[in-house]
Amino acid sequence: MTVAFFSGKGRRIGVALGAVSAGLLVLSACDKPTPLATVTVGDNSVSAEAACYNDGKALKESEYKSCLNKKAEKTVKVSMDDKVRFGVDPDIADNGWTIFVNGQQAEQEPNKKTYRSIPGSAFFSSQTGETTDKTQISIVETKGKDLLGIWHFELKKTD
């Protein structure tokens, strides 16, 4: 003789509560993806998530200084005649963003637009006047004096 500890309805409710609990546990383990930044040259487009991001909060100085030295994982080929187009998520544009070239800030004022275009030739000459074959570009989200996120791309010169 068997005895039912729970009725059919009680078992279904228990299973449903267990499934909901497991689903919430799985969701809480997932990280929210960072906003994307994109570099487009001609019909070649490369997007990346942030190399450093603190969910929209300011990065610590030690954190962003080491992050600016990280090597880019995404590469885009650029000729001197190409236009390099930069695009950012609206969340990044709302705060403002600027471009760093090889870890050095290249612009004084942050941009508040989601898109901008710069000639490829601007990225392949050094301060000494020598040309270079590759350049690391960092898109840096700012809010006042705080840095909120950093996205890296490497521009590689083609003939």
Side-chain angles (χ1 to χ4, degrees):
M1 182 158 128
T2 60
V3 177
F5 290 109
F6 296 104
S7 67
K9 183 178 180 179
R11 276 191 300 257
R12 286 190 298 274
I13 290 172
V15 168
L17 287 174
V20 168
S21 297
L24 289 174
L25 182 63
V26 167
L27 285 176
S28 68
C30 295
D31 288 331
K32 181 179 165 186
T34 67
L36 293 178
T38 304
V39 174
T40 304
V41 177
D43 58 359
N44 185 16
S45 188
V46 177
S47 294
E49 286 196 20
C52 298
Y53 193 73
N54 188 19
D55 200 26
K57 298 178 197 89
L59 297 170
K60 294 177 184 158
E61 185 176 352
S62 60
E63 192 176 12
Y64 72 71
K65 283 188 175 185
S66 68
C67 188
L68 283 169
N69 294 321
K70 283 185 179 179
K71 185 165 173 37
E73 294 179 10
K74 306 282 183 155
T75 301
V76 181
K77 292 182 178 178
V78 180
S79 79
M80 297 291 270
D81 297 332
D82 286 333
K83 286 226 181 277
V84 181
R85 294 172 179 85
F86 297 93
V88 298
D89 278 2
D91 292 340
I92 298 170
D94 287 345
N95 289 320
W97 59 282
T98 187
I99 294 175
F100 280 52
V101 177
N102 294 323
Q104 300 296 315
Q105 188 169 353
E107 305 170 299
Q108 294 301 315
E109 295 296 319
N111 192 327
K112 296 261 188 180
K113 296 179 180 177
T114 58
Y115 167 85
R116 67 183 298 194
S117 177
I118 299 174
S121 59
F123 299 106
F124 296 109
S125 60
S126 68
Q127 291 188 3
T128 60
E130 298 175 26
T131 59
T132 181
D133 289 340
K134 58 185 176 177
T135 301
Q136 176 149 318
I137 300 300
S138 302
I139 293 174
V140 179
E141 179 182 6
T142 61
K143 188 170 193 176
K145 294 194 181 287
D146 293 331
L147 302 186
L148 306 180
I150 301 172
W151 293 257
H152 295 299
F153 299 90
E154 181 181 78
L155 302 182
K156 191 170 187 176
K157 187 170 95 174
T158 62
D159 294 329

